Amino acid sequence: QVQLVESGGGLVQAGGSLRLSCAASGRTFSSYAMGWFRQAPGKEREFVGAISWSGGTTYYADSVKGRFTISRDNAKNTMYLQMSSLKPEDTAVYYCAAAPSIATLAQGGYWGQGTQVTVSS
């Protein structure tokens, strides 16, 4: 069992930065791939990025590549999403997810409750 809690969301102006955190409970955190997804009002949830259990491999959606960075600290059971050069279209509820592999993040595993990110123009 893994429980996930996101934090760090808020209101920021376009061009600004935010860092989201996803704190996980459970002794098996380091064995799970982790990822970030987001859902804007009226839209389906979309993939933002993912990181392997070791942190050695990361993937990003084209829409955030070069602006967002995912990292994890297995000693602290925490994953991070550093967001820079934020745009109004980044406004969404951001969710973290954990699964045995990156390929299964969207379909299964564990989800947090989400944290709101609002980017004003």
Side-chain angles (χ1 to χ4, degrees):
Q1 282 280 357
V2 177
Q3 292 184 327
L4 306 173
V5 178
E6 302 96 334
S7 62
L11 174 64
V12 63
Q13 288 189 333
S17 299
L18 275 178
R19 189 177 81 157
L20 305 184
S21 299
C22 174
S25 64
R27 292 177 292 176
T28 58
F29 171 79
S30 61
S31 66
Y32 282 84
M34 303 286 294
W36 290 96
F37 293 77
R38 66 186 182 186
Q39 187 167 20
K43 295 187 177 181
E44 294 187 353
R45 184 153 52 189
E46 65 173 359
F47 171 77
V48 174
I51 187 166
S52 61
W53 67 269
S54 67
T57 301
T58 54
Y59 296 98
Y60 298 94
D62 287 343
S63 58
V64 306
K65 202 172 293 182
R67 300 188 298 121
F68 291 10
T69 302
I70 295 176
S71 61
R72 65 189 295 165
D73 185 339
N74 286 342
K76 295 182 178 180
N77 280 11
T78 302
M79 175 182 62
Y80 305 97
L81 180 66
Q82 179 67 49
M83 304 185 293
S84 303
S85 302
L86 283 162
K87 305 175 181 180
E89 50 263 43
D90 294 318
T91 295
V93 177
Y94 283 71
Y95 299 89
C96 67
S101 68
I102 289 177
T104 58
L105 274 171
Q107 294 89 351
Y110 304 95
W111 292 87
Q113 83 290 347
T115 186
Q116 176 72 46
V117 172
T118 303
V119 183
S120 63
S121 57

